[in-house]
Amino acid sequence: MQLNGSQIVLECLKEQGVDTIFGYPGGSILNIYDELYKQSDDFLHIRTSHEQGAAHAADGYARSTGKVGVCFATSGPGATNLVTGIATAYMDSVPMVAITCNVNLPLLGKDTFQEADIAGITMPITKHGYIVKDVRELADTLRKAFKIASTGRPGPVIVDITKDVTAKSCEFKKIKKVADKSAIKTYTDDNINVTIKMLKAAKRPFIYVGGGAIISGASKEVLEFAEKFDCPVCDTLMGKGAFDGTHPLYTGMIGMHGTKASNYGVSECDLLVTLGARFSDRVTGNTKTFASKAKILQIDIDAAEINKNIRTSYSIVGDLKEVLSEINAKLDQMDHTEWKEKINGYKEKFPLSYQTDKLTCPYIIETLYKLTQGDAIISTDVGQHQMWTAQYYKFRKPRTFLTSGGLGTMGYGLGACIGAKVGNPDKVCVNITGDGCFRMNMQELATASGYGLPIVEIIINNRVLGMVRQWQTLFYEKHYSQTVFEDKVDYCMVAKALGCEAVRITKKEEVEPALKKALGSKVPVVLDCVIEEDDKVFPMVPAGASISEAFDASDIEGEK
């Protein structure tokens, strides 16, 4: 049948099972939006307040559902406004297809009004990028884009289409999407057998779980492996929820703001089993001393991550769910009671703690957990509140924690929360942000209110850029350069002006009633939680130091 380019785009989205799009219209993409108008019964389109919000929403939708997120933008500034969201998705391996439209083909490369080489601009931050200049290539290009975005190590793909292609017609043949079974097994039985020998030889093993465990859907296998191996488990920021945060084997997050139990345990173990993690600098600290007493076994789907940051003793390249299934089938029940007792001693001696005589972010997060019992999707922005959330909210299930781990994108959380709510309408969705991050994309509250999305936005308001100030306090002689907000912005008034309910919290006793009301609301609610400006996230490892050098407030007091 003969279809024009705009019709082909939407037909290909239907083939891929897409029914939700986040975007913002403009001149070059107008043909597609006109066709979307005609097919509005087939798609839910969420028009965000800014294209960056659309990218973050598509990201949050993808992370929380496991589907490919889709966003639309027009040419020039519309497309470039997606860049930060695309980079965020790339760093955290999130499947996304960004569809942009450019100027007409004869006008490309002539500095035409609202022209930008978005495929070139995003080349370093996408798995692949396409410029479609021929309508006959459009369908196959879109199909390839979705396959690339969702297979192997996932990531964003951009498809830029010239405007004339969206108007021209060609023959289109529908195809039925089938499960991709073409993946080649990248490991052997010998790899599994060598791994089993390493596991059996270990006396002080530790399991380190990253975001790959969530992407591969391996949570069940990770749990079975940890219990069979009888081994302590730590996780990364991206791995939160892959392993139950209430399980007795769980020791907390590892790294710069990880628990002392995890950091000390990994520093003393003789085998570190790395599951779907890439040895980020925020995890390893000084790479020369990281897990220096241990053999390192790494299992990851991306061969490029093997020996990139840390030299391994042995590695398996493959899908974590499949690899662990084979390991679990061959691994006998093991017993590491003595080692576990030592790690439990660290957990008892060095628990996470905070001041209980005042309103703090950890108290707010613990109260949120108590009210939700972990049955919520939590997004965050980046900074102190992000680390407190990772420390004090017990994530029990995968795809319940959405945060920018690799790029560290301030302004990510609200869009991601909107995407999560759209993809999971029956779930409680909460974004925890700082006042600095809230300013980045607070206009997306208008998106939430406009579409009647009952999300909860918790602002941890200390009137400073908290994490930067913490570093200035500890390492820059309290030179608070440009980190204090001395303006008169009223976040509750902003929230109400954007169509949301808002409550200001200044005392501990106000937290639970406000949270209960917000969680039960049918409209978006903003909670402006005013805390002290000098609260700090502990434990902490100085940049470049060994993770065994983690310190907290008591260590600082002891030095005085």
Side-chain angles (χ1 to χ4, degrees):
M1 57 181 167
Q2 286 282 319
L3 295 181
N4 65 37
S6 298
Q7 293 168 326
I8 290 171
V9 169
L10 298 189
E11 286 300 321
C12 286
L13 293 185
K14 292 175 191 175
E15 284 179 3
Q16 300 297 323
V18 174
D19 56 14
T20 303
I21 302 161
F22 304 89
Y24 203 95
S28 292
I29 201 170
L30 209 49
N31 290 333
I32 291 179
Y33 271 91
D34 189 59
E35 189 59 38
L36 189 61
Y37 177 87
K38 299 170 188 175
Q39 300 190 37
S40 58
D41 290 343
D42 295 326
F43 297 95
L44 171 62
H45 181 279
I46 303 294
R47 187 196 65 237
T48 52
S49 298
H50 189 285
E51 289 91 352
Q52 187 181 132
H56 292 327
D59 175 307
Y61 177 92
R63 293 195 206 213
S64 63
T65 64
K67 301 176 183 177
V68 177
V70 177
C71 56
F72 283 179
T74 195
S75 64
T80 58
N81 280 342
L82 295 176
V83 169
T84 297
I86 291 171
T88 301
Y90 181 74
M91 290 290 282
D92 291 344
S93 305
V94 178
M96 178 196 297
V97 173
I99 297 175
T100 59
C101 286
N102 218 317
V103 299
N104 288 326
L105 181 57
L107 299 176
L108 277 182
K110 297 181 179 180
D111 293 333
T112 304
F113 176 69
Q114 290 196 333
E115 179 193 358
D117 178 12
I118 192 61
I121 290 168
T122 58
M123 188 177 292
I125 55 167
T126 52
K127 280 190 76 176
H128 201 75
Y130 295 96
I131 305 174
V132 183
K133 303 175 183 179
D134 186 334
V135 68
R136 293 169 296 182
E137 298 175 357
L138 180 56
D140 284 345
T141 299
L142 286 165
R143 290 162 184 157
K144 290 175 186 175
F146 275 87
K147 182 176 181 179
I148 292 170
S150 60
T151 56
R153 181 178 182 173
V157 176
I158 191 156
V159 180
D160 192 33
I161 311 166
T162 60
K163 184 175 182 179
D164 44 0
V165 166
T166 66
K168 290 181 179 179
S169 298
C170 72
E171 186 67 21
F172 174 79
K173 185 178 180 180
K174 288 185 178 181
I175 65 169
K176 185 176 181 180
K177 182 185 176 185
V178 294
D180 181 22
K181 298 180 181 179
S182 61
I184 298 172
K185 188 173 179 180
T186 53
Y187 59 95
T188 66
D189 290 343
D190 285 343
N191 295 139
I192 300 298
N193 292 334
V194 171
T195 298
I196 295 293
K197 288 181 181 179
M198 291 182 70
L199 298 176
K200 287 183 176 180
K203 302 298 182 185
R204 304 185 310 279
F206 223 101
I207 297 172
Y208 153 45
V209 181
I214 294 172
I215 294 168
S216 69
S219 294
K220 178 175 173 289
E221 288 74 19
V222 171
L223 175 61
E224 181 183 348
F225 174 65
E227 291 182 338
K228 240 182 177 182
F229 196 28
D230 195 37
C231 175
V233 180
C234 66
D235 57 16
T236 67
L237 188 69
M238 299 306 303
K240 288 286 171 188
F243 189 79
D244 186 346
T246 65
H247 195 285
L249 291 173
Y250 182 64
T251 62
M253 189 166 66
I254 184 176
M256 180 171 283
H257 293 292
T259 63
K260 286 187 175 182
S262 293
N263 287 350
Y264 292 172
V266 168
S267 297
E268 297 173 15
C269 72
D270 65 359
L271 176 66
L272 182 63
V273 183
T274 306
L275 306 179
R278 61 184 180 86
F279 298 105
S280 159
D281 61 292
R282 285 300 191 261
V283 165
T284 64
N286 186 336
T287 55
K288 293 179 180 178
T289 58
F290 179 75
S292 58
K293 299 177 182 178
K295 291 183 177 180
I296 295 178
L297 168 66
Q298 185 178 8
I299 304 172
D300 201 280
I301 199 167
D302 187 356
E305 291 298 343
I306 307 298
N307 296 321
K308 186 176 83 174
N309 297 326
I310 294 289
R311 297 294 299 180
T312 62
S313 305
Y314 198 71
S315 61
I316 296 180
V317 176
D319 181 87
L320 183 62
K321 184 180 179 72
E322 295 175 3
V323 175
L324 280 183
S325 294
E326 295 195 33
I327 291 173
N328 289 338
K330 293 187 174 184
L331 183 65
D332 296 326
Q333 180 62 50
M334 302 192 71
D335 184 356
H336 296 110
T337 300
E338 186 176 344
W339 170 240
K340 287 191 304 177
E341 286 176 352
K342 181 172 185 178
I343 299 303
N344 286 335
Y346 285 146
K347 288 167 69 174
E348 292 171 10
K349 185 176 181 180
F350 304 113
L352 292 171
S353 62
Y354 61 91
Q355 285 185 264
T356 58
D357 60 345
K358 62 179 183 178
L359 178 62
T360 63
C361 184
Y363 175 77
I364 295 165
I365 291 165
E366 285 191 335
T367 306
L368 177 64
Y369 175 76
K370 182 179 78 172
L371 295 176
T372 61
Q373 285 299 297
D375 190 21
I377 297 173
I378 309 295
S379 63
T380 75
D381 278 296
V382 173
Q384 287 181 315
H385 66 275
Q386 178 191 33
M387 295 297 105
W388 279 318
T389 302
Q391 290 175 335
Y392 288 96
Y393 194 94
K394 296 178 177 63
F395 293 95
R396 307 186 65 181
K397 300 176 183 177
R399 301 195 181 280
T400 57
F401 183 47
L402 318 177
T403 195
S404 175
L407 195 65
T409 306
M410 294 176 69
Y412 164 82
L414 180 52
C417 190
I418 288 169
K421 188 63 180 178
V422 171
N424 305 268
D426 297 328
K427 282 285 188 182
V428 170
C429 294
V430 180
N431 182 47
I432 302 172
T433 185
D435 48 331
C437 293
F438 179 65
R439 292 164 176 252
M440 295 281 185
N441 276 321
M442 60 178 148
Q443 71 276 358
E444 296 306 334
L445 287 178
T447 307
S449 64
Y451 287 95
L453 302 172
I455 63 171
V456 179
E457 175 89 344
I458 300 175
I459 305 172
I460 304 302
N461 182 3
N462 54 9
R463 300 161 303 283
V464 295
L465 295 175
M467 187 61 86
V468 185
R469 182 183 177 89
Q470 178 167 331
W471 279 62
Q472 288 173 330
T473 301
L474 296 173
F475 308 118
Y476 288 86
E477 300 179 343
K478 300 184 179 181
H479 296 164
Y480 299 127
S481 177
Q482 302 302 315
T483 49
V484 180
F485 293 120
E486 296 178 315
D487 51 35
K488 299 178 181 179
V489 177
D490 185 317
Y491 299 127
C492 287
M493 290 181 69
V494 169
K496 290 175 181 177
L498 292 172
C500 305
E501 292 184 357
V503 177
R504 181 168 289 112
I505 297 171
T506 60
K507 301 175 183 175
K508 285 181 67 175
E509 54 266 30
E510 296 171 341
V511 172
E512 187 164 335
L515 276 173
K516 283 181 177 178
K517 185 176 179 180
L519 292 170
S521 178
K522 302 297 183 184
V523 299
V525 179
V526 173
L527 302 180
D528 180 19
C529 304
V530 181
I531 68 168
E532 290 186 6
E533 62 187 11
D534 279 317
D535 282 358
K536 294 179 178 62
V537 179
F538 289 121
M540 182 177 185
V541 177
S546 301
I547 60 171
S548 60
E549 297 176 50
F551 66 92
D552 55 27
S554 63
D555 295 315
I556 294 174
E557 287 297 319
E559 292 176 358
K560 292 180 179 179

